[in-house]
Amino acid sequence: MLTSNGDDFGDLVVGRAGVVGFSLANPAGARISALRAEILLPPGVTLADRRSTVSDGVGWVCTAKEGEGSVSCGLDELLPGATTTAVVPVDVSPALVDHVVPATIHVSGPGMKDLEIVQDLHVTAQGMGARFVAAGGFAVTEVGAPVLHCAAHLTGCSQVAAGATTGSARNNNAWSMVAVDERGTGTTSSSAVLRLPAGSQVVSARLYWAGRCASDPRKVRIQPPGTGAFAPAGRAEDADLDRSGTDYQASIDVTAVVAAHGAGEWAVADVCATPGTGRYGGWALVVVHTDPAADDLVVLFDGYAPVLSPAAPRTFTVAGRAGASARVGAVAWEGDAGSAGDRLLFDDVPLTPRTWSPTGPPRAGSAGNAFDSTATGSRYVNSLGVDVKAFEGARFATSRATVTATTTGDQYFVGALTVSTPLGTTASP
């Protein structure tokens, strides 16, 4: 019997990437051919013209029906024991803010009983939307590096980079931050090592970068492992850009180049980040890839959320599988290793960050200092204002959870969240 999940992928956020989708499983029995799915979207929710998501790679093809408010999807076959997820990118009207509207999905195929899945879509004015979804046999990895740091010749800077200092010297606020130029580009450049399971394939890669910049920061270059030259990460007009004053985050899809070159040391150049006391700047690469050891639903959420005071925490809705453990990853900017009190809560439970060292294994950090300048894959134990890492200890009570970024003084910006949970299916009536 075909089984299904409506698959809640979190909130739809006005002006951000969002998705609607569903999972189907054929736990036993015969091959099912010529599957059809009709997604009936509510007024104000439309199929987006962008490549922000894909299905799990088994061949769903979806197209909008002009003037009918629906999307038609087809799949050639679903083999016994196989699971498939269809995901379509959508845009949402501001008129639906603070509303819950239904999407109805009809699934049919030769020789099978038709299925109907009803999914509630929650629409908000701000938060994080689902940028990419993959299900079954996938995992996610985040790496990154700073492009501003303390001047290496200054007393104490090498100890800071190695994570060997204490107190306020661990914060970018204690230093006149200068440009990092590892690759000799004459601007900013730094590198991070991306590790992937042997034989894995990259299905999504998105580059994020941030800092303080008064001009247009959307042009950056990327250098794959083993190559001698940088190339544009993409067209500036294809990059998403968010600002809070002169602080910003930009991002762009780099799936093709990362899939072509895979694991190794990646470098990014030309990130606009103004030097000075207390400044920050860096980049992150978020990669979804196949993993034979995983059977996870992986969702990349992104947005831009300044967390600037104890009175103004930021809360996001994420989705997964009820009762399942979860791996949470984050990209954030301006966090300080020497300033505790910033926490990342998963349904009010503080998450414990994983630290990073280029010369040793990761270990558990402090749940009371969630954003402690850990840039996984970089040359730095303390990146002075760049956080790209995973957290421990999350579990879904239901299919939705709230992730809340709080502070008692440290100011920082959350840019992206990744959530992975083991798959499970529920039989349709």
Side-chain angles (χ1 to χ4, degrees):
M1 178 178 64
L2 194 68
T3 62
S4 66
N5 272 312
D7 278 332
D8 181 352
F9 296 131
D11 292 341
L12 295 180
V13 182
V14 173
R16 305 219 70 90
V19 298
V20 176
F22 59 92
S23 294
L24 300 173
N26 186 14
R31 164 183 173 270
I32 300 176
S33 61
L35 275 172
R36 303 293 299 174
E38 299 290 328
I39 304 173
L40 304 179
L41 298 173
V45 180
T46 56
L47 184 68
D49 182 20
R50 61 171 174 263
R51 192 174 65 88
S52 59
T53 64
V54 297
S55 72
D56 61 4
V58 297
W60 282 101
V61 177
C62 299
T63 56
K65 287 188 172 182
E66 290 292 334
E68 296 185 22
S70 66
V71 180
S72 179
C73 300
L75 179 67
D76 289 341
E77 66 175 5
L78 185 61
L79 298 176
T83 299
T84 181
T85 298
V87 178
V88 297
V90 295
D91 288 326
V92 59
S93 167
L96 297 182
V97 167
D98 296 329
H99 286 69
V100 178
V101 292
T104 304
I105 303 158
H106 296 284
V107 182
S108 61
M112 61 165 280
K113 182 181 178 180
D114 290 358
L115 300 178
E116 181 175 282
I117 306 164
V118 178
Q119 183 182 50
D120 285 337
L121 308 178
H122 299 249
V123 182
T124 65
Q126 57 185 330
M128 292 201 174
R131 170 73 66 174
F132 185 90
V133 177
F138 295 91
V140 61
T141 301
E142 309 92 355
V143 299
V147 297
L148 295 183
H149 210 268
C150 56
H153 69 276
L154 294 180
T155 301
C157 181
S158 60
Q159 288 80 8
V160 170
T165 54
T166 59
S168 61
R170 303 167 68 195
N171 301 342
N172 61 324
N173 294 334
W175 299 91
S176 179
M177 302 284 281
V178 299
V180 172
D181 190 7
E182 290 180 16
R183 299 298 170 93
T185 62
T187 58
T188 57
S189 66
S190 59
S191 62
V193 176
L194 172 66
R195 294 188 172 97
L196 299 172
S200 67
Q201 296 181 333
V202 172
V203 296
S204 172
R206 194 162 188 89
L207 179 66
Y208 296 85
W209 63 100
R212 186 169 294 175
C213 178
S215 60
D216 187 341
R218 291 178 296 168
K219 290 184 179 180
V220 297
R221 292 181 293 158
I222 192 167
Q223 183 181 37
T227 63
F230 284 89
R235 301 185 309 167
E237 57 265 36
D238 292 333
D240 287 352
L241 176 64
D242 291 284
R243 284 192 178 275
S244 176
T246 55
D247 293 282
Y248 77 93
Q249 175 180 274
S251 71
I252 198 166
D253 187 284
V254 290
T255 303
V257 66
V258 178
H261 293 275
E265 188 172 76
W266 287 83
V268 174
D270 303 346
V271 173
C272 185
T274 304
T277 300
R279 300 298 176 85
Y280 70 98
W283 58 271
L285 186 61
V286 179
V287 179
V288 182
H289 53 87
T290 58
D291 186 347
D295 183 32
D296 286 359
L297 170 68
V298 178
V299 188
L300 165 61
F301 300 89
D302 65 12
Y304 188 61
V307 184
L308 303 180
S309 77
R314 301 300 293 264
T315 298
F316 324 106
T317 300
V318 298
R321 291 289 188 258
S325 61
R327 176 201 182 275
V328 175
V331 174
W333 316 103
E334 244 299 41
D336 290 319
S339 299
D342 45 298
R343 300 192 301 167
L344 193 66
L345 309 178
F346 193 91
D347 278 347
D348 297 325
V349 177
L351 297 181
T352 301
R354 298 290 285 172
T355 64
W356 158 258
S357 170
T359 58
R363 56 181 176 80
S366 169
N369 191 6
F371 299 105
D372 58 0
S373 295
T374 294
T376 303
S378 74
R379 302 183 183 188
Y380 304 86
V381 174
N382 184 343
S383 64
L384 290 179
V386 176
D387 279 283
V388 187
K389 62 188 178 189
F391 289 78
E392 300 176 337
R395 181 171 292 276
F396 278 92
T398 67
S399 63
R400 295 186 135 226
T402 57
V403 174
T404 305
T406 69
T407 184
T408 58
D410 191 13
Q411 297 184 338
Y412 59 95
F413 305 82
V414 180
L417 296 170
T418 62
V419 179
S420 306
T421 52
L423 277 170
T425 55
T426 304
S428 294

